[in-house]
């Protein structure tokens, strides 16, 4: 089966042709386009078809945000998506929309050994439900239900559940963020935005001057999370503490998701942050947070934890959603 697949982002949209045979997916003719240059998804897909000469009558597109009855309003684009209308506009036999984290979850089965990095081996041969927890621009979470023979992916909006502090420092962090946002979700602390939020809290809590690189990023339109991470790599306080706390909280929320879904089949860390910070995730704080579940610690130790390294997994998943 051949499917035109897409990963719709607020900045870039990636498209490719996908040939699907069971769990195996082969991508060809990949291309990326600035999303804001187009008035809607149909016009972007038409450009891709013109540029590549590709021919296909099935489409499957991963989009950030909820998809309900084949419709979605993109979070960071002025697009209203409708799968049936898109298929009609493009002359496709069918078009499908799915949540981007659901697409990542569908893509897990298509990953190769070199597409993942291990954080915790878990119990050898363990099978069962699995989950994806992806920190990037936001915090996405999805589940994979195990039916005894294969996984079935489903979307959640778990990243928007309430942040739960566990000690004095974290209660102070919650209070700090409540003053800014009111309600505080896990996404406010486990994401790129979260790295910035944690750093700004710690700098105020310790009454510490900002390192020059972070001060520059804060004063303009710079990349604050990247500046904090770079200063942490250079051993600059409180950037080091900010990244350590981020890793701990990422582990805790990944563990929360894994525990709720009984993810003995594996916990997969997606998004853009985890592949860039493997050393941080392996340093101990992440697993400390992940395993810190009281009487459930032994259960958590049985769960494999892996980082997804492939950037193509949403496209692989969009293809498997249709043809897997």
């Amino acid at each position: 089966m051949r499917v035109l697949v897409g990963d719709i982002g607020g900045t870039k949209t990636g498209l490719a042709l996908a040939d699907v045979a069971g769990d195996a997916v082969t991508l060809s003719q990949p291309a990326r386009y600035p999303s804001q240059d187009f008035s809607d998804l149909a016009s972007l897909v038409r450009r891709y078809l013109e540029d590549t000469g590709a021919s296909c009558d099935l489409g499957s597109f991963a989009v950030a945000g909820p998809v309900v009855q084949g419709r979605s309003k993109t979070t960071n684009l002025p697009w209203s998506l409708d799968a049936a209308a898109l298929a009609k506009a493009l002359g496709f036999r069918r078009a499908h929309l799915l949540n981007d984290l659901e697409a990542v979850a569908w893509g897990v089965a298509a990953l190769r050994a070199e597409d993942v990095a291990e954080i915790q081996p878990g119990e050898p041969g363990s099978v069962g439900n699995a989950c994806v927890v992806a920190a990037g621009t936001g915090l996405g979470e999805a589940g994979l239900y195990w039916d005894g023979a294969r996984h079935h992916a489903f979307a959640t909006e778990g990243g928007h559940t309430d942040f739960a502090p566990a000690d004095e420092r974290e209660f102070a962090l919650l209070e700090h963020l409540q003053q800014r946002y009111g309600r505080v979700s896990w996404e406010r602390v486990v994401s790129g935005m979260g790295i910035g939020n944690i750093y700004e809290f710690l700098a105020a809590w310790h009454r510490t001057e900002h390192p020059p690189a972070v001060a520059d990023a804060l004063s303009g339109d710079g990349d604050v999370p990247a500046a904090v991470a770079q200063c942490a790599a250079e051993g600059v306080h409180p950037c080091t503490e900010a990244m350590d706390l981020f890793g701990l909280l990422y582990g805790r929320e990944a563990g929360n998701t894994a525990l709720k879904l009984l993810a003995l089949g594996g916990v997969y860390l997606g998004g853009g942050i985890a592949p860039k910070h493997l050393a941080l995730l392996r340093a101990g704080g992440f697993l400390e947070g992940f395993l810190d579940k009281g009487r459930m610690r032994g259960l958590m130790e049985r769960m494999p934890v892996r980082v997804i390294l492939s950037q193509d997994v949403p496209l692989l998943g969009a293809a498997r959603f249709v043809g897997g």
Side-chain angles (χ1 to χ4, degrees):
M1 179 180 290
R2 172 162 284 193
V3 187
L4 192 156
V5 291
D7 180 17
I8 302 167
T11 304
K12 295 282 188 179
T13 291
L15 297 171
L17 289 179
D19 290 291
V20 188
D23 287 339
V25 179
T26 302
L27 299 177
S28 61
Q29 296 183 267
R32 289 173 64 82
Y33 296 88
S35 304
Q36 300 282 356
D37 287 359
F38 298 86
S39 60
D40 54 33
L41 180 57
S43 59
L44 192 156
V45 173
R46 288 193 195 98
R47 170 67 66 81
Y48 171 82
L49 295 173
E50 292 170 2
D51 289 348
T52 62
S55 178
C56 193
D57 66 354
L58 286 174
S60 184
F61 304 94
V63 55
V67 177
V68 180
Q69 297 182 334
R71 296 183 176 90
S72 181
K73 178 71 174 67
T74 51
T75 304
N76 297 311
L77 285 170
W79 295 356
S80 293
L81 303 178
D82 182 307
L86 182 63
K88 183 177 181 179
L90 295 171
F92 282 10
R93 181 159 45 99
R94 287 196 311 275
H96 302 270
L97 299 176
L98 69 161
N99 171 265
D100 57 345
L101 257 292
E102 183 184 358
V104 172
W106 277 111
V108 164
L111 294 173
R112 303 163 297 177
E114 59 267 32
D115 292 330
V116 297
E118 186 173 270
I119 303 297
Q120 173 172 275
E123 184 175 73
S126 182
V127 295
N129 298 339
C131 66
V132 176
V133 184
T137 303
L139 177 64
E141 299 177 359
L144 294 109
Y145 160 66
W146 177 250
D147 70 1
R150 60 174 296 189
H151 282 114
H152 303 267
F154 59 91
T156 83
E157 290 296 334
H160 296 290
T161 57
D162 299 322
F163 168 56
D167 59 24
E168 180 184 358
R169 180 178 61 169
E170 293 173 21
F171 274 102
L173 170 61
L174 174 61
E175 184 177 3
H176 172 86
L177 294 177
Q178 284 175 329
Q179 292 173 3
R180 177 180 297 180
Y181 299 114
R183 179 181 177 271
V184 179
S185 69
W186 276 101
E187 186 173 77
R188 297 295 188 186
V189 294
V190 181
S191 62
M193 160 182 49
I195 292 174
N197 285 338
I198 291 169
Y199 167 80
E200 290 185 58
F201 155 71
L202 289 172
W205 203 46
H206 292 303
R207 296 184 174 88
T208 302
E209 290 188 8
H210 301 308
V214 179
D216 288 345
L218 287 168
S219 64
D221 294 325
D223 189 335
V224 175
V228 171
Q230 181 58 45
C231 288
E234 296 168 0
V236 179
H237 185 76
C239 297
T240 50
E241 184 180 354
M243 293 305 297
D244 288 344
L245 180 53
F246 168 80
L248 176 73
L249 295 176
Y250 195 172
R252 188 175 300 147
E253 175 58 4
N256 289 340
T257 306
L259 192 57
K260 290 174 183 176
L261 297 180
L262 194 61
L264 293 170
V267 178
Y268 292 86
L269 306 180
I273 293 177
K276 296 177 183 177
H277 296 286
L278 284 174
L280 173 71
L281 298 180
R282 287 170 166 162
F286 175 89
L287 281 179
E288 177 187 343
F290 183 83
L291 296 172
D292 186 20
K293 303 302 177 196
R295 293 172 293 171
M296 295 292 105
R297 184 182 182 94
L299 180 67
M300 305 305 294
E301 290 173 341
R302 295 171 57 189
M303 299 178 183
V305 182
R306 304 180 179 104
V307 173
I308 297 172
L309 303 177
S310 171
Q311 296 182 354
D312 291 331
V313 66
L315 298 177
L316 300 175
R320 285 199 68 249
F321 176 74
V322 177

